[in-house]
Amino acid sequence: MRQKSNSLQEQISITSISSISPLGYKMEDIWSAYKKGTHCISGDIYNGIETPVAKLTVDAQKEIAVLRSSDANYKDLDESVLYAIYAARKAVEEAQWKDEKDFGINIGSSRGATRLFEKYHKEFLEEGVSSTLSSPTTTLGNISSWISHDLQHQGPEISHSITCSTALHAMLNGVAWIGAGMVDKFMVGGSEAPLTPFTIAQVKALKIYASDINATYPSQALNLEKKRNSMFLGEGAAVACLEKGIKKNALAIIKGIGYATEPLKHNISISTNADCFQKSMKMALGNMDVNEIDCVVMHAPGTVKGDLSEYNAINKVFGNKTPALTTNKWKIGHTFGASGILNIEFAILMILKQEFIPVPFVNKNNKKPENIKNVMVNAVGFGGNAVSILLSKV
């Protein structure tokens, strides 16, 4: 297969990024949380078993409650929609798009309206009928369409699900639309509210869920010596605003993009050396020397095979010039479709603050870059749908 070029027709700025997650909803609080060597896990009971999860902070939950009560149309929406609306409002404000209407929107989700779907399905099983709002409030397009309504926007509006790489595929779409000259601005992101009984039961059935809730670090994401899977779920949303050209208010520049899909051999597996990540990272690098990459924000979900295969792919691509490696999933869990854009936020914060945030229990000997100029961000979904985004300091 011919290696595609990462060269972009247009230089693209990320002029804002906003999120709501277990880290908080204010950028200064999020950075403060990242600097602490503690996780955001709280134990909760699901299906009668105490389970590690990462919920929104109490203050963030209050923000969502205020949003829900602000409009009669919002009271019946799923949390995944409300999280996305909240993040989108802040992103527009920070990007200074207040008077803008003609921009693209692509906000995706892996699972969508999990709470409402489970609620309405249970109602159907028990009563044999379904509520009037069960269909319109659980469709996947629900997220982007409600953001469009909330912002009174007039441009293209897209929804999609490519499992855990959903948000970074949204970023690929935004880059493509801008590069094609169809729009100058595009809003991208992902939202997930998966902390529901059936969703957690599904992940536990895969034998990948963290079980030692009393451990100092229940998730051992990026610990390549672990013997047991240790993924756990978190919730949240993040939205970024992309603009054509290098803007004065740019937080970072999208330097390269890469994508690849592996032949499907198993519903959730990727190859031992993550061929998909090798291809996506090489594509994102293009002609850039591997020495120029300061760190990689890994997908690293905390599973034995997932973490190791991505690490193997990085070694294949970078050889003996492997950059500093990190992940945030030990701290905030796996947020499925939102995880990639939360990784982007993590990378941008390290670029802006010029400080590398390691994983406390495995990165003690990991080299810390003196300067952070170029950061590779990875995400992959079930079936090996990988995306790599190369971000650079302005």
Side-chain angles (χ1 to χ4, degrees):
M1 175 178 169
R2 182 176 63 85
Q3 180 65 47
K4 294 183 176 67
S5 170
N6 81 323
S7 58
L8 304 180
Q9 295 181 24
E10 299 286 353
Q11 296 192 82
I12 297 175
S13 298
I14 300 177
T15 53
S16 75
I17 189 161
S18 178
S19 70
I20 186 163
S21 77
L23 298 164
Y25 58 93
K26 297 178 181 177
M27 196 66 82
E28 59 270 25
D29 292 341
I30 293 168
W31 178 245
S32 177
Y34 268 126
K35 293 191 67 173
K36 296 176 182 177
T38 54
H39 58 68
C40 300
I41 294 174
S42 60
D44 207 346
I45 304 298
Y46 292 88
N47 304 306
I49 300 172
E50 188 174 23
T51 302
V53 293
K55 296 182 177 182
L56 298 189
T57 63
V58 172
D59 287 343
Q61 291 176 34
K62 291 178 181 177
E63 292 287 308
I64 296 301
V66 170
L67 173 60
R68 186 185 291 279
S69 63
S70 69
D71 189 318
N73 292 315
Y74 292 175
K75 67 182 182 67
D76 293 316
L77 296 181
D78 189 75
E79 283 82 356
S80 60
V81 180
L82 294 175
Y83 296 170
I85 291 174
Y86 185 86
R89 283 184 179 182
K90 289 182 62 185
V92 163
E93 180 180 350
E94 292 167 9
Q96 300 172 21
W97 287 10
K98 182 178 179 182
D99 298 320
E100 295 285 341
K101 300 297 178 185
D102 188 16
F103 58 89
I105 295 176
N106 188 174
I107 312 296
S109 181
S110 176
R111 303 303 172 110
T114 52
R115 181 185 63 82
L116 285 186
F117 186 87
E118 291 177 30
K119 170 190 172 183
Y120 289 135
H121 187 247
K122 179 181 179 182
E123 175 184 83
F124 173 75
L125 292 177
E126 292 177 349
E127 301 177 17
V129 295
S130 183
S131 296
T132 303
L133 293 177
S134 61
S135 177
T137 57
T138 58
T139 57
L140 195 58
N142 205 31
I143 297 178
S144 287
S145 58
W146 274 108
I147 289 175
S148 179
H149 162 79
D150 187 75
L151 299 178
Q152 293 299 293
H153 135 281
Q154 299 168 5
E157 173 254 302
I158 306 167
S159 297
H160 73 273
S161 175
I162 310 179
T163 61
C164 305
S165 56
T166 292
L168 290 197
H169 274 94
M171 185 162 280
L172 291 182
N173 284 342
V175 169
W177 277 71
I178 292 172
M182 298 174 73
V183 292
D184 290 335
K185 300 178 179 180
F186 219 100
M187 172 183 287
V188 302
S191 183
E192 211 75 56
L195 305 185
T196 57
F198 182 53
T199 305
I200 288 176
Q202 290 177 72
V203 181
K204 286 185 174 181
L206 296 171
K207 310 299 182 185
I208 59 177
Y209 212 98
S211 57
D212 189 359
I213 194 168
N214 295 315
T216 304
Y217 297 106
S219 172
Q220 290 290 304
L222 202 46
N223 176 2
L224 303 178
E225 298 178 356
K226 63 179 173 291
K227 304 300 181 184
R228 300 178 64 181
N229 293 313
S230 61
M231 192 186 98
F232 71 99
L233 296 187
E235 61 180 351
V239 170
C241 291
L242 312 184
E243 298 190 39
K244 176 181 175 181
I246 299 180
K247 303 300 181 182
K248 291 182 179 179
N249 61 332
L251 304 176
I253 304 298
I254 299 177
K255 194 80 170 181
I257 58 171
Y259 51 89
T261 302
E262 292 192 9
L264 190 63
K265 296 180 180 179
H266 187 278
N267 287 344
I268 62 172
S269 66
I270 57 177
S271 56
T272 301
N273 294 319
D275 294 338
C276 56
F277 269 138
Q278 290 185 55
K279 293 175 182 177
S280 66
M281 287 188 288
K282 286 177 181 177
M283 188 189 300
L285 279 168
N287 297 323
M288 181 178 285
D289 192 302
V290 294
N291 279 324
E292 296 185 58
I293 305 303
D294 301 299
C295 63
V296 177
V297 178
M298 295 174 62
H299 182 72
T303 61
V304 173
K305 186 172 182 180
D307 292 8
L308 185 57
S309 61
E310 184 179 1
Y311 179 78
N312 290 341
I314 290 169
N315 282 339
K316 291 282 187 180
V317 173
F318 291 91
N320 60 1
K321 300 174 182 177
T322 301
L325 307 176
T326 191
T327 182
N328 58 16
K329 290 187 179 64
W330 66 272
K331 180 181 280 284
I332 64 172
H334 198 342
T335 53
F336 287 153
S339 62
I341 196 71
L342 288 169
N343 283 352
I344 292 286
E345 179 185 61
F346 186 24
I348 287 174
L349 281 168
M350 288 192 289
I351 290 172
L352 293 176
K353 302 295 184 179
Q354 284 297 292
E355 182 176 348
F356 176 72
I357 302 296
V359 178
F361 49 85
V362 295
N363 275 16
K364 297 192 182 298
N365 297 319
N366 191 5
K367 62 179 182 180
K368 293 186 178 182
E370 294 181 5
N371 300 298
I372 302 177
K373 183 178 180 181
N374 298 306
V375 181
M376 185 80 76
V377 179
N378 284 340
V380 68
F382 287 163
N385 299 297
V387 178
S388 297
I389 304 290
L390 178 53
L391 301 180
S392 292
K393 181 181 177 183
V394 182

